[in-house]
Amino acid sequence: MAKEFDLSDGGANHQKPKSDDDVMTTAQGHPIADDQNWLTAGPRGPQLLEDHIAREKIFHFDHERIPERVVHARGYGVHGHFELKKAIPQYSRARIFNEVGVKVPTFTRFSTVAGNKGSPDLARDVRGFATKFYTQEGNWDLVGNNIPVFFIQDAIKFPDLIHAAKPAPDRGFPQAQTAHDNFWDFISLSPEAMNMVMWIMSDRTIPRSFRFMEGFGVHTFRLVNEKGESHFVKFHWKPKLGLQSVVWNEALKVNGMDPDFHRRDMWDAIDAGDFPQWDLGIQVFDEDFAEEFEFDVLDATKIIPEEQVPVEIIGTLTLDANVDNFFAETEQVAFCTQNIVPGIDHSDDPLLQGRNFSYLDTQLKRLGGPNFTHLPINAPKCPVRHFQQDGHMAMSNPKGRVNYEPNSWGDGDGKEEDRGPRACPMNGFTSYEAPVTGPKVRVRSETFADHYSQARQFYISQTPVEQTHMANALTFELSKVERVSIRQRMVGHLRHIDDGLAQEVADGLGLAELPAKVPAAREPITDLPESPALSILKNGPDSFKGRKLGIYIAEGGDAGVVKALKDAAEAAGGMVEIVAPHVAGAKLSDGKMMEADEKIDGGPSVAYDAVAVVMSEASAKRYNTDKPSIDFVNDAFAHAKFVAYVPAVQPLFETAGVWNWMDDGFVDVSSGKDAASNFIEKCGKLRFWDRESVKQD
Ligand code: HDE
């Protein structure tokens, strides 16, 4: 007979409880003596089905997964609070818009749209920006994106859009990307998408971090005041840290280096107490403006330029706590656009109306029943009273005898507490009494027919660097499309937007001639003015706050220079990571060992907003054939980053092919403190864009 021995912890006794509170139990509360060995008939005999401990453990494991969201599957949630700075009783009676200084708890989930739960963070994609406000009048969900327009005008097209964007059904790829035939086929046959196409081909879809993105409610909503008067509103989130994106080649490399780049960034920032903040802005306008405006305010493929209706800042969102449990919070949170509070109302935007149906429906499937509002992350933080009852997993069940209305309990007879809640016409939610007329029709309003004017406005509002990135993105994506007719059709659309852009993409694709314009439903307005608010680079932060400097050190590096760089970056509100050939770190010129945060191949320059290389000449010679070291320098150059260096690094910079190409984006910091401060100040521009026009060897 085989000898019996304890396999559970290598004999180190880690598995023994320290007190009674430590004792492991089954889900039914039975204390467990051993959950590492299945009950068997003899030490080498068959396993017994009677083992309730093993069977419960495996049963629960088998059911751990819930369906991932059909879109926005990959997301990252964080807690925070919203604080109103300016009351707006003239527009809305919502308490959240009237109680200045009150901290309303929030939960925000950022997401990509197309990829599955395990897809990389830096896919070229729209980012979801959904916030649940736990107000005293119930939950308000502002389920927005980081782009203020959408692909389609009517919710009925959503399944087609998403089918086309997701992996092709026969082969199951490509994952988390739009660079394929189905997507561009659908888009090129849906001219209403053209404004959105300009946005997604811009660097907005490759944000550096969730912390550096704007957010938008997208649709026109209504605000309704105490008197029942309504104004239209568009919601904006403005990041306090400013906007920032990466470049495409960098995004590709980041995805390989760290598929969790964005969620890690958020976790690290919050963990370090560096809480990201966004201002909530509103664009408020009335029916008269809606009548005069060049486009239909119910058309979600259009913006209202900020220069036309300024964004008024009314409050601030602060994200200050990471989740305790990813599944319970980030996975189980259920946003519904229909969750609005008295004082906020919907408009007739056909995309919004369709969403109001879809979100509730999808939660039923995903969370398994109608009681998902009982889950702590979804439960309102104000009193909840109604006669809804039972259902799967009912957890907050009312007491008492009455579960219907009208009822007369408590009106003189019967128990008062049995009476239950009553609807309240005074304070309860009332829909804005918008007049509705017209025949039942299945048509798209003619007021939605202009597909190109704002696409052009977006394009001409960008800096030349951003315009080049857009042309490159379109060329890249369409180069992945196998069918030439789709490439041609897309260029045919671009001709309505900007002939120069169309030509650049046609050249990039090697099209023999410029395709004819696709017939337009309505001729575009060609003289819409530029809107500087649409450019990322025109709205840069001019500061290194919240950004990360990567300092690559090796043996003999000047300790004073490393310290000066660290001090300067931290003084500017930035973070610093030390990268070295070994994770243990390197001995610097002062003879002391400096610990590293990353080994060089785990800390490539794409992980940082700016980099520095500080090592002795001997080290630079030692690592000048080391591929990760060469890539560190070469990529920083190629991605237009600011680079601090000491002259001793020449041997490495030479093999990296940058020594003879050093421009004003390179700063010699060997003289110490002042040079380091000067470097960090330069880094406020985030990238040295002039370099992009220079061709390297
Ligand atoms: Fe969504 N969308 N969507 N969407 N959406 C979902 O709901 C849908 C649209 C957005 O972090 C789903 O709970 C339809 C616009 C975000 O949990 C689903 C239409 C905008 C999130 C759904 C749209 C969004 C979702 C999938 C066309 C920006 C993630 C899982 C009318 C304003 C929320 C879920 C989270 C999620 C439907 C279009 C934003 C299926 C039918 C426009 C941020 O209900």
Side-chain angles (χ1 to χ4, degrees), residues 497-512:
I497 297 169
D498 186 89
D499 247 338
L501 173 65
Q503 187 66 60
E504 225 175 308
V505 176
D507 291 346
L509 293 171
L511 295 182

Side-chain angles (χ1 to χ4, degrees), residues 68-76 108-113 126-131 142-159 161-162 216-219 221 300 330-337 349-363 366:
E68 67 173 32
R69 290 163 173 81
V70 61
V71 282
H72 296 267
R74 181 166 178 84
Y76 203 64
T108 298
R109 185 174 179 273
F110 300 101
S111 48
T112 49
V113 179
V126 182
R127 298 298 182 290
F129 189 143
T131 299
L142 183 56
V143 196
N145 280 343
N146 75 331
I147 287 180
V149 290
F150 202 62
F151 293 97
I152 50 172
Q153 297 170 321
D154 188 319
I156 200 168
K157 282 174 74 89
F158 194 62
L161 166 71
I162 300 304
F216 304 90
V218 176
H219 312 280
F221 292 88
T330 306
E331 271 311 277
Q332 294 203 123
V333 66
F335 293 97
C336 299
T337 51
D349 175 343
L351 205 64
L352 174 59
Q353 298 272 332
R355 292 180 73 200
N356 287 341
F357 162 76
S358 176
Y359 288 69
L360 187 60
D361 188 46
T362 205
Q363 308 312 354
R366 211 165 59 77

Side-chain angles (χ1 to χ4, degrees), residues 297-332:
V297 301
L298 301 183
D299 173 358
T301 67
K302 306 294 186 303
I303 56 160
I304 299 176
E306 293 185 27
E307 292 77 9
Q308 233 163 320
V309 177
V311 175
E312 207 181 324
I313 301 300
I314 58 167
T316 303
L317 173 72
T318 305
L319 301 183
D320 57 6
N322 282 314
V323 293
D324 289 324
N325 184 286
F326 184 86
F327 178 80
E329 296 155 70
T330 306
E331 271 311 277
Q332 294 203 123

Side-chain angles (χ1 to χ4, degrees), residues 523-590:
E523 279 307 310
I525 310 167
T526 49
D527 60 352
L528 286 181
E530 287 180 24
S531 166
L534 302 182
S535 152
I536 296 177
L537 297 188
K538 288 179 193 168
N539 296 285
D542 250 350
S543 147
F544 201 62
K545 188 168 165 35
R547 271 69 183 184
K548 216 186 229 182
L549 173 70
I551 309 180
Y552 182 22
I553 59 164
E555 293 296 294
D558 188 322
V561 168
V562 175
K563 182 174 181 322
L565 283 166
K566 210 164 174 280
D567 290 350
E570 284 169 2
M575 290 166 268
V576 175
E577 269 187 14
I578 300 294
V579 181
H582 308 286
V583 76
K587 202 183 268 183
L588 298 185
S589 59
D590 58 1

Side-chain angles (χ1 to χ4, degrees), residues 124-141:
R124 178 180 289 285
D125 200 352
V126 182
R127 298 298 182 290
F129 189 143
T131 299
K132 194 180 278 295
F133 300 78
Y134 303 91
T135 88
Q136 283 309 302
E137 295 173 304
N139 292 350
W140 173 39
D141 292 356

